[in-house]
Amino acid sequence: MRESGIPVSAVCQRALEQAVRRLFTAREAVRGPIRAEDLDALPLFTARTRTVLRLAAARRDRDAHITTADLPAALVQEGDDRSLQVLRAMEIDPSHITRALTGRDAAEPPGPNAPPSFSVPATRALEAALGEATALGHHHVGCEHLLLGLVAEEEGAGGDVLRSLGAESRSTRRALTAALAGYVHSPQAGPGPGAPPDTLDARPAPLLARIQRLEERLDARDRAGRVAPAAPDGRR
């Protein structure tokens, strides 16, 4: 920010440096060996998210790496209300995740550290969770961010199962944004008790519209990048 010429107060600068330091420490922690004492002190991750990581580790022998298949199973087992609410809002029954993971070949490239530690895809999913939390302006990594990170990771078994059930990155992010605004409800259950009619459609509409416009601009930029400019004679 200093290089950009934008004036920054000493307090803001210090807060920014602390945030960057915590983010760096959290990234390094998920890349290293997993020990109970490390999880207890894992920066930025909430207590419930650390519980999910413990449950995921408990699903593996001590000589095996923790995979992306272990993480969503542990997420369902922990029962975090917000992440499960997001899944149900996309008409995904959490029990279907557990069923789809049962007996699935979850072999993934091991990480650089000896077990117990995360596989390469699991590490990427955790780093993606950190990125999602940062992008949303949150100062913690909750189970909902872990869900987003798993969906975004393209090579692991966990993300593959979630996407096969309908949890694409954009739909999951939009459902989470609406959940954070307090307006998500299950299509089967309807609005919560006392909710005014059409709350889901009306009140978060401006926020969802901004997300839609942003996604359309990103799509247009991606398409433009894939189209090579034509030569004067019409050849590409």
Side-chain angles (χ1 to χ4, degrees):
M1 294 182 71
R2 287 174 175 170
E3 287 78 0
S4 67
I6 301 174
V8 181
S9 71
V11 172
C12 290
Q13 182 65 32
R14 186 160 51 252
L16 178 61
E17 290 173 352
Q18 290 173 348
V20 171
R21 192 178 303 114
R22 286 195 299 269
L23 182 60
F24 176 80
T25 302
R27 286 185 186 277
E28 291 303 306
V30 300
R31 294 173 181 171
I34 302 302
R35 297 173 299 184
E37 58 269 27
D38 295 332
L39 289 177
D40 290 336
L42 194 62
L44 300 181
F45 286 73
T46 65
R48 300 196 77 158
T49 310
R50 293 196 298 270
T51 296
V52 169
L53 299 184
R54 289 192 192 91
L55 291 171
R59 294 174 60 85
R60 289 280 159 179
D61 296 331
R62 291 193 60 83
D63 58 350
H65 285 81
I66 304 161
T67 71
T68 58
D70 300 313
L71 292 169
L75 195 65
V76 174
Q77 182 181 354
E78 199 279 337
D80 174 69
D81 290 340
R82 183 171 291 166
S83 56
L84 299 188
Q85 181 186 31
V86 169
L87 289 169
R88 293 190 180 101
M90 296 186 291
E91 301 185 63
I92 299 174
D93 188 327
S95 66
H96 293 171
I97 297 174
T98 306
R99 191 175 306 126
L101 289 167
T102 301
R104 184 184 178 95
D105 180 13
E108 294 178 354
N113 295 288
S117 63
F118 294 106
S119 68
V120 171
T123 300
R124 284 199 295 258
L126 291 169
E127 291 178 341
L130 284 163
E132 293 287 353
T134 302
L136 288 168
H138 299 162
H139 302 294
H140 67 279
V141 179
C143 296
E144 64 274 19
H145 305 114
L146 178 56
L147 175 62
L148 283 172
L150 284 164
V151 171
E153 207 292 311
E154 297 181 349
E155 297 183 9
D160 187 49
V161 164
L162 289 168
R163 287 187 296 274
S164 72
L165 294 172
E168 297 292 338
S169 287
R170 289 184 178 181
S171 60
T172 307
R173 192 176 295 110
R174 288 161 68 90
L176 173 57
T177 302
L180 293 173
Y183 306 124
V184 159
H185 66 272
S186 167
Q188 292 86 357
D198 300 325
T199 297
L200 181 62
D201 294 329
R203 299 185 66 176
L207 176 61
L208 297 178
R210 288 197 297 272
I211 295 173
Q212 180 66 33
R213 289 194 296 270
L214 175 60
E215 292 173 348
E216 289 172 353
R217 287 197 296 269
L218 290 173
D219 282 344
R221 187 180 66 183
D222 290 343
R223 287 194 298 270
R226 288 194 295 268
V227 177
D233 60 359
R235 294 177 300 176
R236 291 191 181 275

